Amino acid sequence: MLFPDYRPRRLRRNECLRRLVRETTLTIDDFIMPFFVVEGKGIKREIKTMPGIFQFSIDLLVPEIKKVKKAGIPGIILFGIPDKKNELGTGAYAKDGIVQRAVAEIKHKVPDILVITDVCLCEYTNHGHCGMIYKKDVDNDATLDLLARIAVSHVRAGADMVAPSDMMDGRVGEIRGALDENEFTHIPIMSYAVKYSSAFYGPFREAANSAPQFGDRKSYQMDPPNALEALREVQLDIDEGADILITKPTLPYLDIIKMVRDEISHPVAAFNVSGEYAMVKAAAQNGWIDEKLVMMESLMSIKRAGADIIITYFALDAARVIMEGRGV
Ligand code: PBG
Ligand code: ZN
């Protein structure tokens, strides 16, 4: 296969040829769209560091989710922002909590879209950590019961799937057990199995008002230089009963997506996080890059690395591009 006998350019000569030999396809079926829901009425507040992404009150969230459904996107993931926070994050598992009410309303008004809830405490605790604090540290085992309660309360409200993002050890097993005890054996868990302690979550913490008030998340989220450790995290969550495994962030961690994909047969979901979204938006607003092309190329790279599902703030925009037939 040496030049001049083999000429790779022959198969790149026009779009029809390129379409025929294309190895990866991005489809609307791949996407999950994240949403932030807040208390109140008539609220649509843009997140400064995430242009085009808003905090919605429940009444204005419902029409947005209708748009997402109309675009053909199979699912949404919900993050709740309560008005009041406290030491134990009790708002996270309150029967009439913000997520619980939002889920009930969405299930009522927008049937046939998958409603996934993020299960964590950081939006609800006054210290902003993803678990209980004991002696200035996040107490792993004391947090497990609360996470299980959050998950059960979300499912009682109507959630189709729960996604624990706290990174406590053993929480998938605890949540699985609690769901099963409450006759929710049919509800899948999409665990944030491989979640790095990343600076790319910055804009999210503004959006969700969830920045830790002291210290950082390094004692529970993964250390960015580690790759093999991701395999242990994934195996642990599978053994505890996870159905879908999330890895995040995406673009600086494509090697991790690829490695996890090659190792397991469970579906892999990649979370294209807030900072990744913000960077594309900022460069595009400066006229430095072509937003649509960079968006599609980024999402394609995540798919090519092996993700089955992409959780992305670009979901709606990308679905529209695909519909218009201008996908890459
Ligand atoms: C909450 C949570 C975070 C994200 C998803 N769930 C933030 C964090 O761990 O600090 C990040 C999502 C994003 O940046 O888009 N535990
Ligand atoms: Zn958290």
Side-chain angles (χ1 to χ4, degrees):
M1 280 227 307
L2 230 50
F3 176 80
D5 289 338
Y6 186 68
R7 290 175 178 268
R9 287 184 56 185
R10 280 185 200 126
L11 295 182
R12 299 178 195 143
R13 283 190 60 234
N14 59 54
E15 181 60 8
C16 290
L17 266 171
R18 289 191 293 270
R19 278 170 54 203
L20 282 174
V21 300
R22 199 157 280 159
E23 298 174 33
T24 310
T25 317
L26 203 55
T27 80
I28 297 171
D29 294 339
D30 301 331
F31 299 137
I32 292 172
M33 176 84 186
F35 281 104
F36 299 101
V37 61
V38 293
E39 295 285 0
K41 261 208 162 103
I43 295 172
K44 177 180 179 178
R45 197 182 297 135
E46 190 164 34
I47 296 147
K48 221 183 327 141
T49 51
M50 300 177 74
I53 301 295
F54 301 82
Q55 295 176 336
F56 289 108
S57 51
I58 296 175
D59 56 328
L60 296 190
L61 178 64
V62 167
E64 288 305 307
I65 293 177
K66 283 186 180 155
K67 275 187 219 164
V68 169
K69 181 185 164 182
K70 201 161 166 226
I73 294 168
I76 61 141
I77 183 164
L78 213 51
F79 296 94
I81 304 145
D83 268 353
K84 293 196 189 83
K85 300 171 188 267
N86 58 32
E87 185 72 21
L88 297 176
T90 52
Y93 41 92
K95 196 165 176 245
D96 61 348
I98 180 67
V99 166
Q100 289 79 357
R101 277 181 291 124
V103 168
E105 187 71 4
I106 296 163
K107 291 312 291 180
H108 178 57
K109 298 264 174 68
V110 200
D112 301 325
I113 189 158
L114 197 72
V115 177
I116 307 161
T117 55
D118 185 88
V119 172
C120 204
L121 283 155
C122 53
E123 297 97 342
Y124 302 87
T125 50
N126 50 16
H127 44 75
H129 277 287
C130 305
M132 291 303 92
I133 302 296
Y134 182 68
K135 292 188 181 165
K136 295 243 175 267
D137 196 9
V138 174
D139 184 338
N140 192 88
D141 295 12
T143 304
L144 299 180
D145 173 55
L146 298 184
L147 294 166
R149 276 202 235 177
I150 300 173
V152 169
S153 76
H154 288 177
V155 175
R156 277 203 185 113
D160 299 298
M161 179 150 77
V162 288
S165 68
D166 52 281
M167 288 299 275
M168 296 303 116
D169 297 332
R171 90 278 204 213
V172 172
E174 189 85 9
I175 290 170
R176 185 70 271 160
L179 291 176
D180 291 355
E181 269 172 36
N182 285 277
E183 295 181 16
F184 296 132
T185 52
H186 57 290
I187 296 293
I189 299 174
M190 177 167 78
S191 77
Y192 289 75
V194 182
K195 178 173 178 181
Y196 285 91
S197 177
S198 169
F200 285 90
Y201 309 151
F204 174 95
R205 291 178 190 172
E206 185 208 321
N209 187 16
S210 66
Q213 297 304 300
F214 65 90
D216 51 43
R217 303 208 202 290
K218 288 182 185 165
S219 78
Y220 42 106
Q221 298 182 346
M222 281 182 61
D223 198 19
N226 295 358
L228 294 174
E229 189 189 355
L231 297 180
R232 299 199 291 277
E233 282 283 6
V234 158
Q235 196 54 56
L236 200 57
D237 283 13
I238 289 175
D239 292 346
E240 290 178 34
D243 299 281
I244 299 175
L245 290 308
I246 298 178
T247 72
K248 78 187 263 209
T250 57
L251 300 182
Y253 294 84
L254 289 175
D255 57 325
I256 305 299
I257 298 174
K258 171 80 176 137
M259 185 187 64
V260 169
R261 164 73 300 146
D262 290 346
E263 197 70 21
I264 66 168
S265 66
H266 283 55
V268 175
F271 200 138
N272 182 224
V273 303
S274 56
E276 303 179 76
Y277 176 86
M279 288 198 303
V280 173
K281 285 285 177 180
Q285 285 186 347
N286 273 297
W288 295 343
I289 57 170
D290 181 313
E291 179 174 340
K292 242 177 228 175
L293 293 179
V294 169
M295 168 180 78
M296 296 310 281
E297 187 177 332
S298 302
L299 296 172
M300 186 61 79
S301 76
I302 298 166
K303 187 82 187 286
R304 193 186 62 232
D308 303 288
I309 299 165
I310 305 173
I311 306 167
T312 177
Y313 302 96
F314 284 120
L316 198 50
D317 291 344
R320 286 176 177 151
V321 172
I322 291 170
M323 281 290 272
E324 291 161 10
R326 284 189 279 124
V328 287

